[in-house]
Amino acid sequence: MLSIMRLLVSILLLFPIGTFSQNANTYQIRTVAFYNLENLFDTKNDSLIYDDDRTPEGKDNWTEERYLKKIEHMSKVISEIGSADNKTAPDIIGVCEVENLGVLEDLVLHKNIVKFNYGIIHFQSPDERGIDVALLYKKNAFVPVNFNSHRLLLYNLDGKRDYTRDQLIVEGLLDTEKIYFMVNHWPSRSGGEARSRPFRLEAAKLNKRIIDSIQRLDIEAKIISMGDFNDDPIDPSFKKILQVEKNYKNLDSLSLYGPMEKLYKKGRGSLAYRDKWNLFDQFYMTSTLINKEKESYNYWKVGIFTSSYLIDPKGKYKGYPLRTYAGGSYIGGYSDHFPVYLHLIKKQK
């Protein structure tokens, strides 16, 4: 096993990666992205989940043509996220609202991104809608070492199980450096924010338990949690349960840092509803990724990818993300969420 790992690491070093120069230093860049793909379903009827609408005979008239257009659109976006800085597609991509492994395979094999040779880590969740989370990674950038899917057990007021998405944790080597990525899609605000809030608080508690379990074994572990949290950076799940700090100057060795809060307070968002912007698509990370010396991979900056073609140009939803369906009608857009990204950098020797 050790000899195989050494071989994989040596292969990684053969591939070029993004760089930039600053103050006479040159830095390597790796980009981490997250994208809610808005119901990326195939056209087949799965009797075990509620996917009837997303079939050719269903309410959405979800034909093969529409499915292939969706794949083309998602792959185009992925190929460009964060490329203004890194000049290439993201190295790590968390995704949610995918039906199964098959749609992910169709996605990574599309001509827009097949050259990046993305690997897939995916588990089937028990979610009632049949949607899952997954991690895509460039095989020449990241070597997965261990990965698990953690079940979020929720019960409604009647004591019945409320089935939702699992939380994915992936440990691996990013250019020989160990790092952990978590992918989330927390319970929605269906029924109202206040009524559904306890479910997201439970999701935050599960995130915290996962992080604590890693840190008990390795206090220096570098962990990035990403996802559609269905909460903003200022909500109780982030402030009371996870206690995410917005200011890196306030961090201690066990603190969690959230770079998205500053964007949120400037009015930036990743989705809009009733003329209000929310920043549900977020990253937060352990303080071990905040290091001014940057001799190993550390956080550089974060962004929301809002290329003009992703924005609805007219009508009731003008300025919103240009989605696949709006008002019950097919408009052939992209997603109801903008993707988000962050850059990791380290100083080249």
Side-chain angles (χ1 to χ4, degrees), residues 239-256:
K239 289 303 177 186
K240 293 185 178 181
I241 304 299
L242 293 167
Q243 298 182 19
V244 175
E245 287 280 352
K246 69 175 180 180
N247 191 337
Y248 68 86
K249 294 180 180 178
N250 296 334
L251 301 176
D252 61 31
S253 61
L254 292 177
S255 294
L256 299 173

Side-chain angles (χ1 to χ4, degrees), residues 30-46:
R30 289 297 188 190
T31 302
V32 182
F34 177 81
Y35 196 14
N36 181 324
L37 302 181
E38 193 200 9
N39 295 319
L40 181 56
F41 280 74
D42 60 27
T43 60
K44 301 171 186 175
N45 189 4
D46 186 338

Side-chain angles (χ1 to χ4, degrees), residues 82-314:
S83 60
D85 298 303
N86 204 8
K87 312 304 179 188
T88 185
D91 302 285
I92 304 289
I93 311 164
V95 296
C96 73
E97 292 203 14
V98 295
E99 184 181 13
N100 51 42
L101 179 61
V103 299
L104 291 166
E105 291 172 337
D106 288 345
L107 178 63
V108 301
L109 292 175
H110 191 275
K111 64 181 180 180
N112 286 336
I113 57 174
V114 65
K115 65 181 179 182
F116 298 118
N117 195 24
Y118 282 113
I120 302 169
I121 298 175
H122 165 266
F123 290 90
Q124 201 75 36
S125 286
D127 181 79
E128 294 171 352
R129 290 172 56 200
I131 53 175
D132 308 324
V133 301
L135 189 82
L136 310 180
Y137 61 94
K138 286 182 179 175
K139 295 177 183 177
N140 68 338
F142 184 71
V143 177
V145 175
N146 188 33
F147 40 90
N148 289 289
S149 183
H150 292 261
R151 191 130 298 173
L152 177 60
L153 296 175
L154 300 175
Y155 297 89
N156 59 31
L157 295 177
D158 297 327
K160 295 182 179 179
R161 175 85 179 273
D162 194 308
Y163 293 92
T164 188
R165 282 74 64 176
D166 293 345
Q167 296 179 6
L168 177 64
I169 178 73
V170 180
E171 172 193 356
L173 299 176
L174 183 66
D175 296 319
T176 76
E177 186 175 329
K178 185 164 73 170
I179 192 166
Y180 297 81
F181 296 103
M182 298 177 65
V183 188
N184 301 267
H185 186 192
W186 288 3
S188 76
R189 295 191 170 197
S190 177
E193 188 279 328
R195 183 177 180 181
S196 59
R197 184 186 303 158
F199 286 173
R200 289 184 298 282
L201 294 179
E202 289 301 316
K205 291 175 184 176
L206 178 56
N207 254 220
K208 189 70 168 62
R209 288 196 297 272
I210 295 169
I211 292 171
D212 288 347
S213 67
I214 295 171
Q215 290 179 324
R216 278 195 293 270
L217 298 175
D218 180 7
I219 195 65
E220 297 296 324
K222 292 185 174 184
I223 307 169
I224 295 175
S225 188
M226 69 184 96
D228 174 359
F229 295 96
N230 274 302
D231 265 344
D232 290 313
I234 62 170
D235 284 321
S237 55
F238 281 88
K239 289 303 177 186
K240 293 185 178 181
I241 304 299
L242 293 167
Q243 298 182 19
V244 175
E245 287 280 352
K246 69 175 180 180
N247 191 337
Y248 68 86
K249 294 180 180 178
N250 296 334
L251 301 176
D252 61 31
S253 61
L254 292 177
S255 294
L256 299 173
Y257 173 62
M260 312 294 283
E261 186 172 346
K262 293 177 182 178
L263 291 178
Y264 177 74
K265 289 188 173 179
K266 291 179 181 178
R268 301 289 306 281
S270 58
L271 73 158
Y273 179 67
R274 294 182 178 176
D275 295 327
K276 180 183 183 297
W277 284 95
N278 292 103
L279 189 49
F280 291 169
D281 304 274
Q282 300 185 52
F283 301 96
Y284 72 86
M285 66 198 73
T286 51
S287 60
T288 46
L289 280 151
I290 311 299
N291 181 347
K292 293 182 180 180
E293 298 302 320
K294 295 181 174 58
E295 300 298 337
S296 60
Y297 276 119
N298 284 271
Y299 168 73
W300 177 29
K301 64 179 180 178
V302 70
I304 306 170
F305 184 66
T306 56
S307 188
S308 59
Y309 65 83
L310 292 176
I311 301 172
D312 200 325
K314 59 185 178 180

